[in-house]
């Protein structure tokens, strides 16, 4: 017997020491992933995720009401896995030499979604709509830090995460329009996309209440304490 097997043999011996076999009783197969011991596809699927640990940001993204394709994009963005120039360059793939929106800075996801002058104009407008101008990111603001530290009343949290994902999604789509379809980069085009998309999401009841709307900034829908 090889040396590694010996300790395993003794462990098994110890565990089986109290097992009494009853010859007249037939062996039964028990499925340990369900309470009744019976196999079901649902319990097998759940078993895949046993022991998984989810990051708080992922929980918020999946709890938001954004459409699945947008949640998936947001989840990739939270892991910095979107195909911006820095990532493409690391893999030796063709990539824009500068940020396609401002043509001034190297393109990273953090720059594109928050720090870029075009993105910041979009945020300045969206945050004015929400009455939250103080949330305006700086050019160097850390994406995850900013994204996860926005505070709002619990009742509106899902709206807020949905609204933030909507803005990120529209910036990303506009960036792709510029890179792949020759569109002209502009804050106005992103704002139009946000409004158009918002209207669809609102009709689909993905937003509840009037706190994270994208109206003219003269309308301030959010009051503290609500
Ligand atoms: Zn830029």
């Amino acid at each position: 017997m090889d040396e590694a097997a010996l300790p395993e043999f003794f462990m098994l011996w110890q565990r089986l020491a109290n097992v009494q076999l009853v010859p007249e009783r037939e062996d039964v197969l028990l499925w340990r992933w369900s309470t009744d011991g019976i196999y079901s596809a649902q319990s097998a699927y759940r078993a895949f995720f046993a022991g998984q640990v989810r990051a708080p940001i992922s929980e918020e993204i999946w709890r938001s009401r954004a459409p699945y394709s947008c949640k998936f994009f947001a989840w990739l963005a939270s892991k910095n896995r979107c195909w911006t120039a820095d990532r493409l360059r690391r893999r030796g793939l063709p990539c824009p030499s500068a940020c396609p929106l401002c043509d001034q800075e190297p393109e990273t996801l953090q720059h594109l979604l928050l720090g870029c002058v075009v993105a910041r104009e979009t945020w300045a407008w969206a945050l004015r709509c929400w009455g939250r101008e103080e949330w305006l990111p700086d050019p160097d603001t850390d994406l995850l830090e900013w994204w996860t530290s926005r505070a709002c009343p619990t009742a509106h949290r899902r709206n807020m995460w949905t609204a933030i994902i909507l803005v990120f999604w529209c910036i990303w789509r506009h960036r792709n329009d510029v890179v792949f379809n020759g569109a002209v980069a502009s804050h106005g085009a992103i704002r139009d996309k946000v409004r158009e998309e918002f209207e669809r999401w609102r009709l689909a009841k993905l937003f509840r209440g009037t706190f994270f709307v994208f109206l003219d900034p003269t309308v301030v829908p959010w009051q503290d304490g609500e």
Side-chain angles (χ1 to χ4, degrees), residues 98-107 111-112 115-119:
C99 165
L101 298 187
C102 68
D103 200 25
Q104 292 171 19
E105 302 276 336
E107 189 197 37
H111 169 80
L112 186 79
C116 179
V117 63
V118 178

Side-chain angles (χ1 to χ4, degrees), residues 59 82 104 110 119 123 129 135 155 173 183 191 197 207 214:
E59 293 282 359
C82 297
Q104 292 171 19
Q110 176 156 320
W123 280 113
C129 294
W135 286 3
R173 276 182 54 201
R191 194 180 53 199
E197 204 68 31
F207 285 101
F214 296 91

Side-chain angles (χ1 to χ4, degrees), residues 177-188:
D177 260 358
V178 172
V179 172
F180 300 113
N181 303 326
V184 177
S186 93
H187 146 65

Side-chain angles (χ1 to χ4, degrees), residues 145-206:
E145 203 280 325
W146 182 89
W147 195 355
T148 52
S149 59
R150 301 306 93 202
C152 82
T154 313
H156 305 307
R157 205 160 173 78
R158 288 178 80 188
N159 283 328
M160 182 189 75
W161 276 79
T162 306
I164 289 175
I165 290 173
L166 189 153
V167 177
F168 282 156
W169 171 244
C170 289
I171 294 173
W172 178 250
R173 276 182 54 201
H174 184 59
R175 177 262 183 206
N176 288 341
D177 260 358
V178 172
V179 172
F180 300 113
N181 303 326
V184 177
S186 93
H187 146 65
I190 301 175
R191 194 180 53 199
D192 292 346
K193 261 194 178 71
V194 170
R195 280 189 174 136
E196 185 188 316
E197 204 68 31
F198 171 72
E199 194 50 23
R200 288 195 191 127
W201 294 22
R202 191 185 64 78
L203 289 172
K205 302 211 181 327
L206 303 185

